[in-house]
Amino acid sequence: MSDDDRDDSRKVGLWVVFSSVAVLLLGVLGFAVVRTMKGPAAPVAQTAAAAASAAEATDVLVDYATTTAALATVYFESGSAALHADADPALAETVKALAADPGKRILLSGYHDSTGDPAMNAELAKQRAKAVRAALLVAGIPLNQVLLRKPESTTGTGTEREARRVEIRLVDPQ
Protein backbone atom coordinates (compact mmCIF):
# COMPACT_ATOMS: atom_id res chain seq x y z
CA MET A 1 0.00 0.00 0.00
CA SER A 2 1.47 3.34 -1.02
CA ASP A 3 1.60 6.54 1.00
CA ASP A 4 -1.04 8.11 -1.27
CA ASP A 5 -3.44 5.25 -0.55
CA ARG A 6 -2.87 5.63 3.18
CA ASP A 7 -3.49 9.38 2.96
CA ASP A 8 -6.72 8.78 1.05
CA SER A 9 -7.84 6.21 3.60
CA ARG A 10 -7.06 8.60 6.45
CA LYS A 11 -8.92 11.40 4.71
CA VAL A 12 -11.99 9.20 4.26
CA GLY A 13 -11.76 8.04 7.87
CA LEU A 14 -11.42 11.57 9.18
CA TRP A 15 -14.25 12.72 6.94
CA VAL A 16 -16.52 9.97 8.35
CA VAL A 17 -15.57 10.83 11.96
CA PHE A 18 -16.07 14.58 11.48
CA SER A 19 -19.36 14.03 9.64
CA SER A 20 -20.62 11.80 12.43
CA VAL A 21 -19.66 14.36 15.06
CA ALA A 22 -21.33 17.15 13.06
CA VAL A 23 -24.55 15.17 12.66
CA LEU A 24 -24.54 14.34 16.37
CA LEU A 25 -24.01 18.00 17.33
CA LEU A 26 -26.75 19.18 14.98
CA GLY A 27 -29.11 16.58 16.45
CA VAL A 28 -28.37 17.70 20.01
CA LEU A 29 -28.76 21.37 19.10
CA GLY A 30 -31.99 20.67 17.21
CA PHE A 31 -33.38 18.75 20.18
CA ALA A 32 -32.46 21.61 22.52
CA VAL A 33 -34.12 24.19 20.28
CA VAL A 34 -37.31 22.14 19.92
CA ARG A 35 -37.45 21.48 23.65
CA THR A 36 -36.93 25.19 24.40
CA MET A 37 -39.67 26.17 21.97
CA LYS A 38 -42.08 23.63 23.44
CA GLY A 39 -41.23 24.48 27.07
CA PRO A 40 -43.81 27.26 27.64
CA ALA A 41 -46.46 25.31 25.76
CA ALA A 42 -46.68 22.55 28.36
CA PRO A 43 -48.38 24.71 31.04
CA VAL A 44 -50.67 26.08 28.35
CA ALA A 45 -51.67 22.53 27.41
CA GLN A 46 -52.35 21.74 31.05
CA THR A 47 -54.32 24.96 31.34
CA ALA A 48 -56.31 24.05 28.24
CA ALA A 49 -57.18 20.66 29.73
CA ALA A 50 -58.27 22.29 32.97
CA ALA A 51 -60.23 24.87 30.98
CA ALA A 52 -62.15 22.09 29.28
CA SER A 53 -63.11 20.53 32.60
CA ALA A 54 -63.92 23.94 34.07
CA ALA A 55 -66.09 24.77 31.05
CA GLU A 56 -68.25 21.79 31.92
CA ALA A 57 -69.01 23.41 35.24
CA THR A 58 -71.83 25.88 35.38
CA ASP A 59 -70.51 29.38 34.85
CA VAL A 60 -72.40 31.29 37.49
CA LEU A 61 -71.45 34.95 37.48
CA VAL A 62 -71.80 36.56 40.89
CA ASP A 63 -72.54 40.19 41.60
CA TYR A 64 -70.14 40.59 44.50
CA ALA A 65 -69.38 44.05 45.86
CA THR A 66 -65.68 44.29 46.56
CA THR A 67 -64.15 46.39 49.28
CA THR A 68 -60.63 45.00 49.25
CA ALA A 69 -57.75 45.75 46.93
CA ALA A 70 -56.85 43.18 44.31
CA LEU A 71 -54.45 40.51 45.51
CA ALA A 72 -53.05 40.13 41.99
CA THR A 73 -53.76 41.27 38.44
CA VAL A 74 -53.30 39.36 35.19
CA TYR A 75 -53.06 41.34 31.93
CA PHE A 76 -54.00 40.18 28.43
CA GLU A 77 -53.28 41.14 24.84
CA SER A 78 -55.97 42.86 22.81
CA GLY A 79 -58.65 40.44 21.62
CA SER A 80 -57.06 37.49 23.44
CA ALA A 81 -57.87 35.36 26.46
CA ALA A 82 -54.54 33.51 26.39
CA LEU A 83 -52.45 33.57 29.55
CA HIS A 84 -48.81 34.57 29.26
CA ALA A 85 -45.91 33.29 31.35
CA ASP A 86 -45.84 36.63 33.19
CA ALA A 87 -49.13 35.56 34.84
CA ASP A 88 -47.35 32.79 36.78
CA PRO A 89 -46.23 34.98 39.73
CA ALA A 90 -49.77 36.33 40.20
CA LEU A 91 -51.19 32.82 40.14
CA ALA A 92 -48.55 31.53 42.56
CA GLU A 93 -49.27 34.43 44.93
CA THR A 94 -52.98 33.58 44.79
CA VAL A 95 -52.39 29.92 45.59
CA LYS A 96 -50.14 30.90 48.50
CA ALA A 97 -52.66 33.39 49.88
CA LEU A 98 -55.52 30.88 49.72
CA ALA A 99 -53.37 28.23 51.41
CA ALA A 100 -52.74 30.70 54.25
CA ASP A 101 -56.49 31.38 54.61
CA PRO A 102 -58.40 28.34 53.27
CA GLY A 103 -61.75 29.67 54.52
CA LYS A 104 -61.70 32.37 51.86
CA ARG A 105 -62.71 32.17 48.22
CA ILE A 106 -61.09 33.58 45.12
CA LEU A 107 -63.08 36.20 43.22
CA LEU A 108 -62.06 36.74 39.59
CA SER A 109 -63.17 40.00 38.01
CA GLY A 110 -62.72 40.29 34.25
CA TYR A 111 -62.44 43.77 32.77
CA HIS A 112 -62.44 45.07 29.23
CA ASP A 113 -61.87 48.37 27.52
CA SER A 114 -64.66 50.50 26.08
CA THR A 115 -63.70 50.11 22.41
CA GLY A 116 -65.60 47.77 20.11
CA ASP A 117 -68.79 45.78 20.59
CA PRO A 118 -69.81 45.78 24.29
CA ALA A 119 -71.30 42.26 24.13
CA MET A 120 -68.17 40.81 22.52
CA ASN A 121 -65.98 42.64 25.04
CA ALA A 122 -68.03 41.30 27.96
CA GLU A 123 -67.69 37.75 26.58
CA LEU A 124 -63.94 38.22 26.13
CA ALA A 125 -63.61 39.48 29.72
CA LYS A 126 -65.51 36.38 30.87
CA GLN A 127 -63.21 34.13 28.80
CA ARG A 128 -60.18 35.81 30.37
CA ALA A 129 -61.54 35.17 33.87
CA LYS A 130 -62.22 31.55 32.88
CA ALA A 131 -58.61 31.22 31.63
CA VAL A 132 -57.33 32.43 35.00
CA ARG A 133 -59.74 30.04 36.74
CA ALA A 134 -58.45 27.15 34.61
CA ALA A 135 -54.85 27.97 35.56
CA LEU A 136 -55.82 28.08 39.25
CA LEU A 137 -57.50 24.69 38.90
CA VAL A 138 -54.28 23.30 37.42
CA ALA A 139 -52.46 24.75 40.42
CA GLY A 140 -54.72 22.72 42.72
CA ILE A 141 -57.41 25.21 43.74
CA PRO A 142 -60.81 23.47 44.05
CA LEU A 143 -63.47 24.70 41.63
CA ASN A 144 -65.89 25.47 44.46
CA GLN A 145 -63.46 28.06 45.85
CA VAL A 146 -63.35 30.15 42.67
CA LEU A 147 -66.05 32.71 41.89
CA LEU A 148 -66.48 34.55 38.60
CA ARG A 149 -67.72 38.11 38.82
CA LYS A 150 -69.81 39.75 36.12
CA PRO A 151 -67.50 41.38 33.49
CA GLU A 152 -67.03 45.12 33.72
CA SER A 153 -65.95 47.87 31.37
CA THR A 154 -63.14 50.12 32.45
CA THR A 155 -62.99 53.78 31.59
CA GLY A 156 -60.85 56.55 32.93
CA THR A 157 -57.23 57.56 32.70
CA GLY A 158 -55.65 54.08 32.46
CA THR A 159 -54.19 52.61 29.30
CA GLU A 160 -56.08 50.14 27.11
CA ARG A 161 -53.73 47.39 28.32
CA GLU A 162 -54.67 48.12 31.92
CA ALA A 163 -58.31 47.67 30.97
CA ARG A 164 -57.66 44.18 29.56
CA ARG A 165 -57.17 42.42 32.87
CA VAL A 166 -58.50 40.01 35.44
CA GLU A 167 -58.26 41.07 39.06
CA ILE A 168 -57.90 38.38 41.70
CA ARG A 169 -59.23 38.95 45.20
CA LEU A 170 -59.64 36.84 48.32
CA VAL A 171 -63.14 37.25 49.70
CA ASP A 172 -65.28 35.80 52.45
CA PRO A 173 -67.79 33.16 51.33
CA GLN A 174 -71.31 34.49 50.88
Side-chain angles (χ1 to χ4, degrees), residues 71-74 84-96 168:
L71 171 68
T73 304
V74 178
H84 293 281
D86 61 355
D88 290 344
L91 298 172
E93 182 179 350
T94 303
V95 171
K96 183 178 175 183
I168 304 170

Side-chain angles (χ1 to χ4, degrees), residues 11-25:
K11 287 179 185 177
V12 169
L14 287 174
W15 184 85
V16 168
V17 168
F18 286 130
S19 297
S20 299
V21 170
V23 167
L24 181 65
L25 285 174

Side-chain angles (χ1 to χ4, degrees), residues 61 76 80-81 108-113 118-132 148-153 163-166:
L61 301 177
F76 294 85
S80 173
L108 302 176
S109 302
Y111 292 87
H112 57 85
D113 58 35
M120 287 178 54
N121 283 342
E123 181 60 28
L124 183 57
K126 180 180 170 184
Q127 294 304 317
R128 289 171 176 159
K130 288 170 67 174
V132 172
L148 297 178
R149 189 172 175 204
K150 182 181 171 197
E152 297 183 43
S153 177
R164 298 184 304 267
R165 70 184 188 278
V166 171

Side-chain angles (χ1 to χ4, degrees), residues 30-169:
F31 176 75
V33 167
V34 168
R35 185 168 171 99
T36 301
M37 292 176 73
K38 288 187 177 181
V44 172
Q46 290 174 348
T47 301
S53 67
E56 294 173 8
T58 315
D59 290 328
V60 177
L61 301 177
V62 297
D63 193 12
Y64 199 110
T66 59
T67 57
T68 60
L71 171 68
T73 304
V74 178
Y75 295 99
F76 294 85
E77 295 298 321
S78 179
S80 173
L83 285 175
H84 293 281
D86 61 355
D88 290 344
L91 298 172
E93 182 179 350
T94 303
V95 171
K96 183 178 175 183
L98 188 62
D101 196 353
K104 299 271 188 178
R105 287 194 171 172
I106 297 170
L107 178 66
L108 302 176
S109 302
Y111 292 87
H112 57 85
D113 58 35
S114 58
T115 62
D117 179 36
M120 287 178 54
N121 283 342
E123 181 60 28
L124 183 57
K126 180 180 170 184
Q127 294 304 317
R128 289 171 176 159
K130 288 170 67 174
V132 172
R133 176 180 68 182
L136 291 171
L137 294 176
V138 168
I141 302 298
L143 180 61
N144 65 352
Q145 283 193 278
V146 183
L147 304 171
L148 297 178
R149 189 172 175 204
K150 182 181 171 197
E152 297 183 43
S153 177
T154 306
T155 57
T157 59
T159 66
E160 294 296 318
R161 182 178 189 274
E162 291 170 342
R164 298 184 304 267
R165 70 184 188 278
V166 171
E167 291 182 350
I168 304 170
R169 289 183 170 80

Side-chain angles (χ1 to χ4, degrees), residues 1 3-15:
M1 194 183 235
D3 287 338
D4 288 335
D5 290 337
R6 284 188 198 140
D7 285 342
D8 287 341
S9 296
R10 286 184 186 153
K11 287 179 185 177
V12 169
L14 287 174
W15 184 85

